[in-house]
Amino acid sequence: MPPSLPLPALLLALACCTGPALAADGYYQTKTPYAPQQDPATYAAPPDGFQPIYTQLVARHGSRGLTGMKNDAALYAMWQQAAAQEALTPLGRELGPDILALMKANALLGYGVAGIETPGYGNLSQTGIEEHRQLAVRMLARLPALFAQVGQAAATAPRQLVTINSGVDRARDSARFFTQSLLEHAPALAPLLYLPPAPAPYPQGRKAVAQPDGVNRFLLYAHKLAPQTDLVSDPANPYYATYGASQAYQRYEKTKQLHALMDAPARLPEAAAHARHVLERLFAPAFLDQLARGTSSYADTGSYTFTSEDGKLTRTMTGSGKTAIRSLNAAATKLYELYAIAAGLRHEVPADFGRYMPAEDARYYASVADHEDFYQKGPATTDSKGVTWRFALALREDFFNEVDALARGDLRHAAKLRFTHAEMIIPLASAMGLPQALAPLPAATPYSYADNPWRGAQVSPLAANMQWDVYRNGEGRLIVRLLYNEKETPFQAACDGARTAPGSVFYDYAGLKACYGHVALP
């Protein structure tokens, strides 16, 4: 593409080739690689007289590797024992080398990739990097007039592209690859990139733990706020309620009631049937019977050494022994988790884990994972009273505060870009009351695929995102469009009266703010 093209023309040309179709559902649940949910060519035009003045985004990190050597090593230990007992089917004999290839890819993940500081488990894959690079290009292509104007005015009337992340490597790296792509395609924006200082000093009343510029745990890691880094003891502090909500959520995660809800599928006959169907394609029935009777078990023990192809990086990984396989259901579930994560590692792992997970079984294990996430991260039960999402209210408030500043005439921010995790995207969808989030269920009504459309693959695939585009007319009126995974999406149903016209995807900001009961912070 000739660099001499004007920015709007360049971006419109790029838009034609950066909108992949929605990926086929392989039942990967929240490990589903990202694809935009709507063709940008079908986006509605704003009402006459309105021009874009601002956009903001929150995005989950991109496709990644396993977060640690656990399930892979435990399943490999089981495979090794079966191999020693000559208890493998022909297909099963291929499983062990594929698991080892997956372990090697994760141990070295990110090696040789500019922008990845420490190779290893938990890093972005090449797919994850590209997800964020293309997300940035599509943002530029969607709003060419905004970014052209901002870039042209950079020298005389600079506006900021505010960028924040959770502080976790894969979220920080997603921010880096997104903004690198943004600046590659619109280099005039480079001087506008701004990483604000992290909220400080925290923990209150103790020696402060400094966080790097651009990190905001209270907005983007609120599900895991910890006393040693984030304690808020002053009720007047703006993050006091967020810290309290985080602690309440972490207590909820440990309750017997939650675990009873999450463990319910494993007690049903389908669990045993699906486990047998998956595992008997790989292991001899007699070998599986030992596991079913409880006379054998396997764990993530042992050490493994992996060396990069160029011989310059060698890593030795040692299992903790804390991840155990004591049942057929546990073994099949762990195999599903390897199958799901491998979908986002297609550049790094030359193995097809789909061979080991028939589609009907993948669908079942995805339904179990969705069942668990519905109660642990999603709407949960009416009795839970929003404990799974109240810590995300500060993030919701941050979106409104940004538009409040525009309403006051403060145009310092041209965009705000936030990078986080599924544990924040899913609660935010609930806090926003979006159609994807649905409603909590009575405790006596169990979640099921048959009668509940909540799906992790739609609510929070890898690189899931929410974006607000803000437009203004000559009279200063602000309107907002919400994109969820790049699909034009209604705000909560109670806000229908704020639409600029019946059925419109654009909302009057004053009406939207009143609908959510938002009160601007000073």
Side-chain angles (χ1 to χ4, degrees):
M1 188 68 62
S4 58
L5 268 177
L7 179 61
L10 169 63
L11 295 173
L12 288 172
L14 284 167
C16 72
C17 52
T18 57
L22 179 62
D25 189 355
Y27 303 111
Y28 305 120
Q29 206 250 350
T30 58
K31 304 304 187 296
T32 301
Y34 182 75
Q37 301 291 300
Q38 183 176 343
D39 182 349
T42 66
Y43 288 158
D48 289 344
F50 283 88
Q51 298 296 324
I53 63 163
Y54 174 84
T55 192
Q56 56 180 323
L57 162 144
V58 61
R60 184 187 180 190
H61 59 76
S63 292
R64 60 164 173 79
L66 294 164
T67 56
M69 194 182 78
K70 296 177 288 191
N71 294 333
D72 48 356
L75 199 60
Y76 188 68
M78 177 176 168
W79 181 88
Q80 286 179 303
Q81 185 60 36
Q85 295 181 18
E86 298 186 350
L88 293 167
T89 68
L91 179 62
R93 284 194 287 273
E94 298 179 29
L95 175 63
D98 282 351
I99 295 175
L100 206 58
L102 182 67
M103 292 169 69
K104 178 178 179 178
N106 277 277
L108 304 175
L109 191 58
Y111 173 67
V113 178
I116 301 292
E117 294 178 5
T118 305
Y121 279 78
N123 275 314
L124 296 178
S125 66
Q126 287 291 339
T127 295
I129 291 170
E130 194 62 16
E131 285 166 345
H132 276 279
R133 289 181 58 81
Q134 294 303 318
L135 185 61
V137 171
R138 289 192 298 275
M139 175 185 278
L140 287 168
R142 188 177 74 246
L143 299 166
L146 169 64
F147 288 104
Q149 183 277 325
V150 168
Q152 290 164 5
T156 56
R159 298 177 67 191
Q160 294 173 334
L161 305 177
V162 182
T163 306
I164 59 175
N165 66 80
S166 70
V168 177
D169 287 359
R170 54 188 171 272
R172 180 201 63 211
D173 294 341
S174 294
R176 177 181 293 126
F177 290 114
F178 183 101
T179 53
Q180 280 180 356
S181 178
L182 201 70
L183 302 182
E184 285 171 14
H185 292 96
L189 301 176
L192 308 181
L193 195 65
Y194 174 62
L195 303 178
Y202 299 100
Q204 291 185 335
R206 305 181 186 178
K207 184 177 180 180
V209 177
Q211 301 287 347
D213 287 352
V215 171
N216 191 317
R217 289 169 55 86
F218 293 98
L219 296 182
L220 302 173
Y221 210 64
H223 61 294
K224 281 192 177 179
L225 297 179
Q228 61 267 32
T229 51
D230 313 297
L231 176 66
V232 184
S233 54
D234 180 3
N237 187 286
Y239 291 124
Y240 181 79
T242 301
Y243 181 81
S246 177
Q247 302 311 299
Y249 173 67
Q250 291 176 68
R251 290 192 295 271
Y252 166 79
E253 287 190 295
K254 299 174 183 177
T255 60
K256 292 180 180 179
Q257 293 90 337
L258 173 61
H259 286 278
L261 288 167
M262 292 174 61
D263 295 343
R267 298 191 292 268
L268 298 176
E270 295 96 309
H274 280 282
R276 280 281 181 182
H277 186 249
V278 169
L279 297 173
E280 286 186 353
R281 299 171 70 248
L282 307 169
F283 302 97
F287 177 80
L288 297 175
D289 289 343
Q290 298 171 23
L291 184 58
R293 289 194 302 267
T295 57
S296 63
S297 64
Y298 310 94
D300 59 329
T301 54
S303 294
Y304 302 87
T305 298
F306 303 105
T307 300
S308 62
E309 297 303 317
D310 64 7
K312 295 181 179 179
L313 176 66
T314 296
R315 295 200 68 199
T316 297
M317 313 293 297
T318 302
S320 68
K322 295 179 181 179
T323 298
I325 296 176
R326 298 190 179 93
S327 68
L328 298 183
N329 186 59
T333 297
K334 285 172 173 51
L335 180 57
Y336 167 77
E337 291 170 355
L338 300 192
Y339 157 81
I341 203 71
L345 289 164
R346 59 188 178 87
H347 295 289
E348 293 83 4
V349 182
D352 177 13
F353 277 80
R355 297 186 300 156
Y356 310 119
M357 186 59 56
E360 64 268 32
D361 299 303
R363 183 181 188 277
Y364 167 75
Y365 288 109
S367 76
V368 172
D370 278 334
H371 175 105
E372 295 174 353
D373 279 353
F374 181 89
Y375 290 110
Q376 185 177 18
K377 303 181 182 77
T381 66
T382 50
D383 291 344
S384 67
K385 300 182 188 316
V387 70
T388 56
W389 54 264
R390 291 195 176 278
F391 57 83
L393 286 173
L395 178 55
R396 186 183 84 175
E397 197 79 358
D398 193 54
F399 270 75
F400 280 99
N401 288 338
E402 286 291 311
V403 188
D404 280 346
L406 302 174
R408 295 193 303 267
D410 182 352
L411 299 181
R412 283 177 294 177
H413 294 174
K416 189 164 189 178
L417 313 170
R418 311 167 182 85
F419 299 86
T420 185
H421 306 265
E423 291 85 353
M424 292 302 301
I425 293 289
I426 295 173
L428 178 62
S430 293
M432 292 294 304
L434 299 187
Q436 292 88 340
L438 304 181
L441 291 173
T445 304
Y447 170 92
S448 75
Y449 261 25
D451 53 20
N452 195 310
W454 193 95
R455 300 288 186 273
Q458 276 75 54
V459 179
S460 187
L462 288 152
N465 58 90
M466 179 190 296
Q467 303 185 55
W468 291 19
D469 295 336
V470 182
Y471 297 77
R472 185 178 64 183
N473 68 3
E475 288 73 47
R477 182 188 178 194
L478 299 179
I479 61 172
V480 180
R481 170 179 58 190
L482 185 153
L483 301 175
Y484 194 83
N485 296 330
E486 297 179 85
K487 179 180 180 180
E488 293 175 322
T489 298
F491 287 91
Q492 63 183 359
C495 298
D496 280 355
R499 294 178 189 259
T500 58
S504 174
V505 297
F506 295 94
Y507 289 71
D508 175 75
Y509 178 66
L512 190 66
K513 174 179 172 179
C515 165
Y516 278 94
H518 169 72
V519 178
L521 297 176

